[in-house]
Amino acid sequence: MGSAFNVFLEAAFIENLVLAYFLGMCSYLAVSKSVKTAIGLGAAVIFVLGITMPINWLLNKFLLEPGTNIFGGMLGQEMDLTFLRFILFIAIIASMVQLVEMIIEKYSPSLYISLGIFLPLITVNCAILGGSLFMVSRDYNLVESVAFGLGGGFGWFLAIVAIAAIREKMLYSDVPPALRGLGMAFILTGLMGIAFMSLMGIDPAALANGGK
Amino acid sequence: MSNSKVILFVLTMTTVVALLLSLMYSGLKDIHDRNEAIYNKKEIFQAVDPTANDMDADKIESIFDQSVKQYVLNYDGDVIEGERADKLKLDKEKKKDAKVRKYPLYVYQEGGKTLYIVTLRGSGLWDDIWGSFALKDDFRSLAGASFGHKGETPGLGAEIKDNASWKAQFKNNKKIFDDVKNQYLSVRKGGARDEIMEVDGIAGATITCDGVTDMIEDGLGPYFRHFEKLKNGKTGQLLNK
Amino acid sequence: MADVQETQLKNQEATFAFGKKERKLLSDPLNDNNPVTVQVLGICSALAVTTLVYPSLVMAVAVVFVCAFANLAISLMRNIIPGQVRLIVQLVVIATLVTVVELALKALSYDVYKQLSVFIGLIITNCIIMGRLEAFAMANKPWQSFLDGIGNGLGYGLILIAVAFFREIFGKGTLFAGSPAELKIIGNTSEYLLNTEATWWLGWYANNGLMVLPAAAMFLIGIFIWIQRSYNTKLVDIS
């Protein structure tokens, strides 16, 4: 359990998907003009990440990875299907997003309207696919991948809510016209990235052991 | 459009795509495997010869075929029969408990000189780092080292792999372990103060360098047990002097 | 803004002409309609590779390839794709092309493949490609779509390489590090990083550690946007 908690902390704060890897920037910049919609989208990302990670983990292990996939068992020899990973992952993500869209539409029509076209964009939110790919490349186990999904989603949520709040305040600031809006959003994101960097030297494993 | 047409379309497309990709994959698999093997061999052999990265594929393969013997050790330092070091997946091994982990050892023999290359794996700032250390036949003196990393920052942590003068420190009179002081080789931030047991750190890459120090301290046990057995002649590996 | 131009193209003949409009398809995304600085698309998947020029170059080529051929394929199929599964079909086409790129790169240059690792896969979620398929290829003839794909891929690659250029030269002191044509530009690249006595005759420039941090890429794009909009005032405050 301890390692899962570390993975959660690391994904949320130290290796923030937006601020350290630029993942999910499109919707991050486009939907960060008001805090309210930012919270909605952030929550949707946490949910989609939290749900796609374990599904993709299971599918990756039992359908694709050589040695553990069921086809290999049936044919009695190792079979490497990992080259189908991209297609499988993106299909799962697309269908999960569709599901979330239907749920939100049913239970919160106002949120559905304000998120507008950005909900389908979660499919092409790199944070979601990136999460799944990082999970494979870092060889997480099932519990860790859930933790990574939730932590990464939470980090993304934090980042978008923070930038939305700053951008709301920025409306009252005197920014050079050419820099207004998008340009300033980039620079703010950079500054936030530096602020998050100060968390980087923290070693969650050492913290758990009471400091090493 | 009717549902059956939609399903037909999706099925056709999936089949075409799957066929195309499987053909391409199986067609390129041999090249992929060879590339990967050569990449790993170059990385290991850089510990002996810093120019290994520029060698062509055939040369590095012939060196490994002719002059390098591979062994896999267990925690107690015994050779596990019938396994090859280059078949080990070190990232998977690192996740196991040290007691059940398998340890790769490469022995390079050329013109009467024998070098023992140990490959250690640790953690850098972002992800795994690893290093290969070539030891002379006193099992303590270094003849060279090479490093690799999964995702360190270029210009900072990634310099452990790229920086020639950092790697050049791991030879001449440097020792990986001092039996008298019971001390391992370590990386010192702000410049080495001990000619034999310390190397200079890389500016701005403190955590990666600490990772190198930890890696050396934590990973050498099984190798030292193996070398001890080698000296006493109690192992499957033959000691050629 | 792009819609007008797109509907115009819809009425064009299906030829392989290379007239003014076709040229505009290629040149527009480089400045006036740059996918990154104006449309704010596709920043996600690849900025993390911009610490060095060489991987960025490979990434740019990959994106041009995927963007152009995805546009072409979708445009060819635009009349037979069932509306309900449109997005999935587009994603599958993109994912297939990206897998092709990955397999090819792994065979051609294993070093670069290792360096780019998961970021190759992230081309799939590059919103530029998806956006062009939806906004252009679904409604236009194959040849125009193909050109539009190349144009947008190039516009994206341009920003990518520009960012990487500044980050590498000031962050690491080199250009094209990792490629056969590696150049050492400033600073005593291979010598000075060690903390021992700095080699003073080359050490006049100390690498700027900020430039290799992710934040530097954001600052650079912010500044690019600033410069572009100062000259091109019609773009100011459109988003």
Side-chain angles (χ1 to χ4, degrees), chain C:
Chain C
M1 66 225 129
D3 298 344
V4 186
Q5 169 205 345
E6 278 151 24
T7 39
Q8 280 172 358
L9 278 164
K10 221 171 166 181
N11 307 322
Q12 263 190 354
E13 294 289 311
T15 54
F16 292 92
F18 200 75
K20 202 174 165 210
K21 280 190 181 126
E22 279 77 14
R23 233 170 293 148
K24 203 164 162 51
L25 281 178
L26 282 179
S27 64
D28 230 29
L30 295 184
N31 184 11
D32 281 9
N33 211 359
N34 188 290
V36 178
T37 59
V38 181
Q39 301 175 40
V40 215
L41 292 177
I43 304 130
C44 3
S45 55
L47 278 188
V49 305
T50 53
T51 37
L52 299 175
V53 174
Y54 186 53
S56 311
L57 199 69
V58 176
M59 193 74 176
V61 172
V63 170
V64 171
F65 172 84
V66 174
C67 201
F69 283 93
N71 256 5
L72 181 68
I74 291 295
S75 176
L76 285 171
M77 295 194 294
R78 69 187 187 280
N79 295 324
I80 54 165
I81 296 176
Q84 303 97 303
V85 292
R86 198 180 70 237
L87 287 179
I88 302 269
V89 171
Q90 290 171 358
L91 283 171
V92 169
V93 168
I94 300 173
T96 310
L97 285 166
V98 171
T99 313
V100 167
V101 168
E102 196 204 19
L103 291 174
L105 189 64
K106 203 172 165 186
L108 291 174
S109 174
Y110 197 81
D111 290 13
V112 182
Y113 165 79
K114 275 272 178 196
Q115 228 169 352
L116 292 175
S117 62
V118 301
F119 296 103
I120 283 284
L122 289 176
I123 298 177
I124 297 173
T125 47
N126 190 318
C127 336
I128 295 175
I129 301 173
M130 199 68 186
R132 292 328 286 171
L133 293 184
E134 191 65 5
F136 198 94
M138 287 301 284
N140 282 288
K141 302 232 159 66
W143 173 239
Q144 278 80 15
S145 304
F146 187 69
L147 287 181
D148 180 79
I150 294 184
N152 278 281
L154 285 178
Y156 170 77
L158 185 76
I159 300 291
L160 204 65
I161 292 167
V163 173
F165 177 82
F166 287 106
R167 286 182 76 185
E168 182 171 352
I169 206 166
F170 293 115
K172 198 173 184 304
T174 58
L175 273 183
F176 306 109
S179 78
E182 178 166 351
L183 298 172
K184 286 170 186 169
I185 307 290
I186 43 174
N188 37 1
T189 307
S190 70
E191 310 291 335
Y192 72 105
L193 267 156
L194 304 175
N195 275 326
T196 44
E197 208 58 28
T199 45
W200 57 270
W201 60 92
L202 281 166
W204 57 271
Y205 178 80
N207 283 347
N208 186 342
L210 177 71
M211 295 308 276
V212 294
L213 299 180
M218 309 282 19
F219 294 145
L220 282 170
I221 296 182
I223 292 167
F224 289 163
I225 292 177
W226 191 3
I227 295 170
Q228 189 191 19
R229 289 185 183 183
S230 306
Y231 283 102
N232 210 338
T233 42
K234 67 172 184 273
L235 297 174
V236 167
D237 229 356
I238 56 163
S239 64

Side-chain angles (χ1 to χ4, degrees), chain A residues 51-100:
Chain A
I51 203 164
T52 52
M53 294 288 277
I55 295 178
N56 280 345
W57 189 88
L58 290 169
L59 291 177
N60 182 53
K61 189 166 167 80
F62 293 112
L63 291 182
L64 303 179
E65 289 273 321
T68 53
N69 72 35
I70 51 170
F71 306 112
M74 285 191 300
L75 295 171
Q77 63 184 54
E78 281 207 356
M79 217 170 144
D80 187 357
L81 291 175
T82 45
F83 63 94
L84 292 174
R85 188 179 284 148
F86 293 157
I87 295 184
L88 184 72
F89 280 8
I90 199 71
I92 294 298
I93 290 167
S95 35
M96 282 303 129
V97 170
Q98 204 99 50
L99 196 72
V100 174

Side-chain angles (χ1 to χ4, degrees), chain B residues 150-201:
Chain B
K150 212 163 168 187
E152 299 305 300
T153 324
L156 301 175
E159 290 293 312
I160 59 166
K161 182 180 176 196
D162 304 333
N163 194 313
S165 49
W166 145 265
K167 284 187 283 191
Q169 297 182 95
F170 292 84
K171 52 178 156 192
N172 301 332
N173 54 358
K174 292 281 194 282
K175 279 185 172 180
I176 203 156
F177 184 70
D178 187 316
D179 293 278
V180 181
K181 292 190 215 154
N182 194 22
Q183 183 191 359
Y184 288 96
L185 183 78
S186 62
V187 185
R188 163 86 71 172
K189 191 184 177 185
R193 286 183 216 153
D194 186 320
E195 271 184 21
I196 298 170
M197 301 312 296
E198 283 180 358
V199 292
D200 298 343

